[in-house]
Amino acid sequence: MSALPEPPTLPITFRPHLTRVILLTAGAAILLVITGVALALEQLGPGERLSFVLTGALIFWVLAQLARVKVVADESGVTVVNIVGRRRLDWAEILRVNLRPGDPWVFLDLSDGTSLPALGIQPGIAKQRAIADASALRALAEDRAGQGPDRHRS
């Protein structure tokens, strides 16, 4: 078994930065283009123009929801923010941090027998960063395994 890296200093936020930039940039560009088309088409009435703009805004909102994913680790535990939800976990609830070859993101094996996807660490565009982030989260989870929220190793 290979040695885990030294756990990072807390608090720390893991998120797919490049994916986030791409999603937000694409969303803004789509909104601007659709709004520009709505304004440029003279035959459209005010309601039709508004529907174009609202469609662009909806597309931007969906991409922003995809871009908001993150994993925040602090002294008392981990907050996983996925596309449609947020879940707070104590360190003792996390049994294992998994990022296997081919996985789209990290999975947290939990003490209740379930597995929670943590979309904030995903190897899609930045594979080496995701591997380093998964290793850091794994080191934190193992360092704090079985410790209460107010206790941590010095």
Side-chain angles (χ1 to χ4, degrees), residues 36-91:
V37 168
L39 296 174
L41 294 175
E42 295 175 9
Q43 69 270 26
L44 294 180
E48 293 167 317
R49 288 177 200 260
L50 181 61
S51 70
F52 267 71
V53 174
L54 290 176
T55 300
L58 178 62
I59 292 168
F60 178 80
W61 180 81
V62 168
L63 293 176
Q65 292 303 302
L66 293 171
R68 77 183 196 110
V69 300
K70 63 184 174 182
V71 177
V72 181
D74 60 34
E75 290 295 335
S76 62
V78 175
T79 301
V80 178
V81 179
N82 286 334
I83 297 167
V84 294
R86 172 187 304 257
R87 184 162 175 195
R88 179 72 185 166
L89 302 165
D90 291 330
W91 285 111

Side-chain angles (χ1 to χ4, degrees), residues 24-39:
L24 293 174
T25 301
I30 290 168
L31 176 59
L32 289 172
V33 168
I34 289 176
T35 300
V37 168
L39 296 174

Side-chain angles (χ1 to χ4, degrees), residues 95-107:
L95 300 179
R96 191 172 304 113
V97 176
N98 291 312
L99 181 60
R100 296 172 293 260
D103 279 352
W105 39 71
V106 161
F107 289 91

